[in-house]
Amino acid sequence: MKRHLLFAAFVLFSALGYANISLYSPDKQLNLTFKVSEDGEPVYALSYKNKPVIKESKMGFHIQWSTPLAHDFTIVDATQNSVDHTWETVWGENRFIRNHYNELVVKLKQKETNRILLITFRLFNDGLGFRYDFPMQDNLLHFIIQEEITQFNLTGDHTAFWLPGDYDTNEYPTTISKLSEINQLIDKVREEPLAAKSFTPNLAIQTPLLLKSDNGLYINIHEAALVNFAAMQLNVDDLNFQLSAHLVPDFRGNKVYAQTGDRSPWRTIIVSDDARDILASNLILNLNEPCKIEDFSWIKPMKYIGVWWEYFTGGGSSWSYTKHQGIRIGETDYSKLTPSGKHGATTENVKYHIDFAAKHGFDAVLVEGWNEGWEDNVAFVKDEIYNFTKPYPDFDVKKLRQYASEKGIVLIMHHETTSAVISYERQLDTAFRFMVTHGYPAVKTGYVGPIIPRSEHHDGQWMVNHYNRVIEKAAEYKIMVNSHESVRPTGLCRTYPNWLAAESARGTEFESFRGNHPNHTTILPFTRLVGGPMDYTPGIFEGDLSIYGSNPAKLSSTLVKQLALYVIMYSPLQMAADLPVNYEKHPDAFQFIKDVAVDWDTTCILEAEPGDFITIARKARGKDEWFIGSITDEHARETVISFSFLKPGKQYELTLYADGDNAHWQDNPKSYSVKNMKITSKTKLKQKIAAGGGMSARIR
Amino acid sequence: MKRHLLFAAFVLFSALGYANISLYSPDKQLNLTFKVSEDGEPVYALSYKNKPVIKESKMGFHIQWSTPLAHDFTIVDATQNSVDHTWETVWGENRFIRNHYNELVVKLKQKETNRILLITFRLFNDGLGFRYDFPMQDNLLHFIIQEEITQFNLTGDHTAFWLPGDYDTNEYPTTISKLSEINQLIDKVREEPLAAKSFTPNLAIQTPLLLKSDNGLYINIHEAALVNFAAMQLNVDDLNFQLSAHLVPDFRGNKVYAQTGDRSPWRTIIVSDDARDILASNLILNLNEPCKIEDFSWIKPMKYIGVWWEYFTGGGSSWSYTKHQGIRIGETDYSKLTPSGKHGATTENVKYHIDFAAKHGFDAVLVEGWNEGWEDNVAFVKDEIYNFTKPYPDFDVKKLRQYASEKGIVLIMHHETTSAVISYERQLDTAFRFMVTHGYPAVKTGYVGPIIPRSEHHDGQWMVNHYNRVIEKAAEYKIMVNSHESVRPTGLCRTYPNWLAAESARGTEFESFRGNHPNHTTILPFTRLVGGPMDYTPGIFEGDLSIYGSNPAKLSSTLVKQLALYVIMYSPLQMAADLPVNYEKHPDAFQFIKDVAVDWDTTCILEAEPGDFITIARKARGKDEWFIGSITDEHARETVISFSFLKPGKQYELTLYADGDNAHWQDNPKSYSVKNMKITSKTKLKQKIAAGGGMSARIR
């Protein structure tokens, strides 16, 4: 791993008391100030190009049965460092990432209690990260955080791209409104039917939150390295445009069970006046710990198909083997039950998918509904629903392993838990051992519905620890993980690159329920994907689900936009989600999905405006081959692409996948053209994109 | 296994509608009536010798988001059976137990919903058991029980031997009062400092509840076979003297997560006008399922000593190896930490205990504080406290195994969880495997403090399932279990005889905190022990703890009463709880502890009055040898023992352990005499028992 390391540490201050401390980003565009107020409250502020981004904002914590760690502080020490080095990714949007920041570490002492709190600020050219450390000390040991005080005082009534505050789901559509409009919109948004919802009692929204100020500043607020802490949502004070940390509680109202030696995640603020910088930012990855997996040779980006979409189309295929509900796992002999005849994960059907995957050069096949228990898959009252080592009678694990292996395909295991999480933890070791025994290198986990333990929410500390525990345990077994309905990522895929992807937002599956807005995928890269790869599962060619039965759902995208998503929605794990039969009808368009890379050397954000459009070019890792994706919202537009990112003087062949002239996501989504052309780094391409449409290209 | 089986089934009724159904006990002394009221409510009543015990009382359930299973019923079927057979115990107070009852099974149908509820009544000569079945049916599948309605309408203001309703502890002292007095006493009782307390919001008390009516009737209300259900406490209506089921909820207020196919535990009412019949009753064992462990040859009653009491005396010995709190298990190398020098579970100290155990014929040595994590043993906020497979650096597992084995002693493992139960469940398999690897045949489990998962209480459904899961899992590994701070037993030791004992009430350890009342052990056999053996840990010879340091605690019993407890407080697992050094000072009294059996062929309850005195004689299993124990409360008394239980015409040698003439629990507890005499079945022995004293005897 190539590293350029520059490390300069210098102590600036001592016994500063109430001094104002100032820190600049390496390029001097960002300025952080820190002080303690007259009441001894820690206060920070952030400006960009001499304009305030975050006005003076308080920091600290409320602690159960104790003095708040929030006032009465003096600064007893302050240290500044500069760091500049470059690290290599195991996989990613870029092979090398520069980690370049100036750091300020402030040591605070509370006068009456003598308790110590450290705050570390890291100021990058693209934003700020800060975190709290609770060092070991005599006057504090175990404690319960009742609330984090951290404020984000904004300068005005910015436009927000928001999800309503909710402890159990991040699958709402994004609403775009002024901060002052959230209050009047939120009740309606919360009507969205989702499997588990737990509204915040007050006005709050979720992170990653994108804001756009009236003067064109883009601000992303999120967190990095969420470990042993509750996820942070944001209270909204819509009179003062003040956001503040709202940690996800357990059912007792406690936020974090902590002890000294613990630290908070990083609170992150990415800032730019160019929207493309938000997408290009590596701030969150940089704030995470380096890879903890020594031998990561077994971690491989993958393209996969699955026995999956057929459960959503309305065609009648089912996860469960029988129609008997109320089965007791471990006490029931499934081979004696009558099959429903609708079961999807049969040996035959999986073989058919293996054949298709092998024929078209995929790496893997995901199979959902292979194991005992699916009959009660929405029985949220059950402690024990699934057996993760017992396949249904019509799913032959050994035979399929053999068959897949002969065809060069691996199978992806599925562990839906229906959020009966303790049951999953009990079985985790045996389940992973079962995977190793049967040659499964990857697992998709799922957390539909309310959590058991019933004191917990999807985004609370206990579940955060669970997701991380699964990742660490999976690493021990050399298993890659794709988690669904988990807490939204915070860059931990740097530390655990076996965490290939997460869903953790409204994915393609919703196209079969209530649909996604055409602007949905022009927002997600600014919000959800800031924390890490998303298993969005693109590639639906047949968007009219009424052909399968009575499902009236229609895809909110043209066919070509589906192709472009393989470039736009970055993930080292990409699914071709549609049924094989639909790909066979469009072999020329399907060719793009077959060709597109899933791991990259370089990424260039060419155009971007949240909610409107995004154009990205990426160079395949280790190849002189580029792929371009461009998408728009419900409005048609023209993209203008300059190929200046290519090597000068060299001629490339470009295969262009474009919406047809009359293509439209609503009426005419499947109109497209494929054509080849020669280009150089000096070529400019103007290309019309249909309403709800896209463009994609392969360049060799 | 010897069995006398008489089984007569006869259908009595069909399409009964609202008829009154009557059932008699085999001896006709008890009469049960059942009917549905005009509103279709199930109603039962119980009488004894033609006098009402339980007046007409409603039955049924409130169900979340659904019609209550409580009214609108008609009787669609009623069947009566008679059963009379005898079964052999794996261990117990008696080798053979007669199971003799008349049974009524009522099938109820709810008119509007068409839902079916079954109620089964079993009427024995010594009481009634009844339970609810929720059979599989079209109109009910998964459901949540919000409350059980079952009433126990008493005939008057009985005297109750009660613990206050509490979801997390059964370690309160027993209060004796009229039902009408509970309300004015309960707040004071609840001030008792205990590690985890969760009061019922209303006036409620716990089971096993003993009641005594003004006309001399003894009534014990409890439950049998508590499986996949919340424990039942009892609401108290002190105007109408009505008790009713109060199931222990989770933090959402839900009581039981159920599905059709499930059933409730048995609700039990043991009744007699002779207090001895309450102690002699096997009704609760009879209502439990037969032994599920096919090969139980590895299950062995045991007498043990332990590295235990030294932690309570105030002498300075400590469970933890270091003084560092806040250690992170799995991330810390204990061998690099400074030992406190006070650690009890050192290799040397355990060897000393093994030597003592071997010398005096004990089977086992319990060692507490052997594993990593004890530094945070009361850090109730921690998810992960203990490592159950990592001994402290000064505890050599292999060496001790070898040493114990050479001396014919086994070691008892200790798994204190501090109620971080999910952590324990995660480690359960590896912990039990570790025990098997290192030759531990038994484990003492502990659940001090509030439960994690934080939605749960000690006595709620989730924890009930946990305790049972541990027992079943332990059986797989051929491990015997002694659970502390678990839910009070309900006879499941019949089904899982590897559940040797539980604490689950105020044990001897409280003698080192706030003490036990001298009447305490004259009550427990009528209450707590009705459900199964208690690891009371008797045998404290040195009751003045001030000799060790600054602990002012004094034992509430004479030395001889401590001996008598080995007979009175039945358990197949009996500890000699005091320090070896104290036994060495009284070798003649200690001889009784060495001699006393822990498994019995026959038990004769000679005298009994709850709160006052108990005298029991038991015949050692497989030997012509008897042991007698007699205890009194704070009042001195004279016991008169007739030996008519002995074989006529044979002469026996009796060794009598008696309080000294001036013995008194407060001033002179260690005054005692040991003498031998010859007796026959015709001998009558009058023996004075000191205040807070006892008497014990061995008969050969």
Side-chain angles (χ1 to χ4, degrees), chain A residues 251 381 383 451-456, chain B residues 250 252 257 455-456:
Chain A
F251 266 69
V381 303
D383 251 323
I451 301 288
I452 300 177
R454 297 187 175 94
S455 47
E456 306 304 328
Chain B
D250 67 10
R252 297 181 183 228
Y257 298 86
S455 47
E456 306 304 330

Side-chain angles (χ1 to χ4, degrees), chain A residues 462-572:
Chain A
W462 195 89
M463 281 303 293
V464 163
N465 287 344
H466 168 78
Y467 306 127
N468 294 349
R469 190 180 297 120
V470 169
I471 297 303
E472 291 189 32
K473 178 79 72 181
E476 288 173 28
Y477 288 90
K478 302 196 173 180
I479 288 170
M480 293 173 278
V481 179
N482 167 21
S483 60
H484 280 226
E485 298 89 22
S486 50
V487 68
R488 72 288 182 281
T490 58
L492 282 166
C493 58
R494 177 182 175 188
T495 312
Y496 297 103
N498 65 319
W499 201 344
L500 278 193
E503 184 188 43
S504 309
R506 195 176 178 88
T508 295
E509 64 187 16
F510 280 87
E511 298 278 19
S512 75
F513 313 143
R514 289 161 60 90
N516 291 335
H517 191 278
N519 72 9
H520 187 56
T521 46
T522 69
I523 299 169
L524 285 177
F526 287 95
T527 54
R528 161 65 184 79
L529 274 83
V530 164
M534 177 171 176
D535 186 36
Y536 187 74
T537 68
I540 302 300
F541 280 12
E542 180 50 69
D544 178 4
L545 301 197
S546 69
I547 68 155
Y548 301 107
S550 58
N551 188 344
K554 280 211 163 104
L555 197 71
S556 63
S557 133
T558 67
L559 188 150
V560 174
K561 185 176 180 180
Q562 290 292 307
L563 301 182
L565 293 179
Y566 288 86
V567 182
I568 298 294
M569 303 290 282
Y570 168 67
S571 176

Side-chain angles (χ1 to χ4, degrees), chain A residues 141-142 251-252 257 259-262 325-326 328 376 379 381-383 422 425-426 454-455 462 469, chain B residues 141-142 251-252 257 259-262 325-326 328 376 379 381-383 422 425-426 453-455 462 469:
Chain A
L141 181 59
H142 302 290
F251 266 69
R252 296 182 183 226
Y257 299 85
Q259 70 176 45
T260 44
D262 287 346
Q325 283 183 289
R328 274 157 231 271
D376 280 357
V381 303
K382 281 184 84 163
D383 251 323
I422 305 180
E425 291 217 347
R426 274 183 212 123
R454 297 187 175 94
S455 47
W462 195 89
R469 190 180 297 120
Chain B
L141 182 59
H142 302 290
F251 266 69
R252 297 181 183 228
Y257 298 86
Q259 70 176 47
T260 44
D262 287 346
Q325 284 183 288
R328 276 156 229 272
D376 280 357
V381 303
K382 281 185 85 163
D383 251 322
I422 305 180
E425 291 217 348
R426 277 184 208 120
R454 298 188 175 91
S455 47
W462 195 89
R469 190 181 296 118

Side-chain angles (χ1 to χ4, degrees), chain B residues 221-242:
Chain B
I221 300 179
H222 189 38
E223 60 184 316
L226 175 57
V227 173
N228 196 19
F229 222 76
M232 178 179 75
Q233 304 199 356
L234 296 167
N235 300 310
V236 179
D237 172 348
D238 55 359
L239 289 177
N240 300 302
F241 311 124
Q242 181 191 90

Side-chain angles (χ1 to χ4, degrees), chain B residues 59-81:
Chain B
M59 313 177 84
F61 296 91
H62 289 293
I63 305 295
Q64 196 175 58
W65 303 312
S66 185
T67 312
L69 273 170
H71 54 66
D72 198 29
F73 281 114
T74 51
I75 302 171
V76 292
D77 198 14
T79 313
Q80 289 197 14
N81 300 313

Side-chain angles (χ1 to χ4, degrees), chain A residues 12-34:
Chain A
L12 282 187
F13 317 92
S14 70
L16 286 155
Y18 305 91
N20 274 286
I21 306 175
S22 171
L23 183 77
Y24 281 91
S25 58
D27 66 0
K28 314 279 187 215
Q29 302 283 25
L30 278 163
N31 177 239
L32 166 86
T33 56
F34 177 82

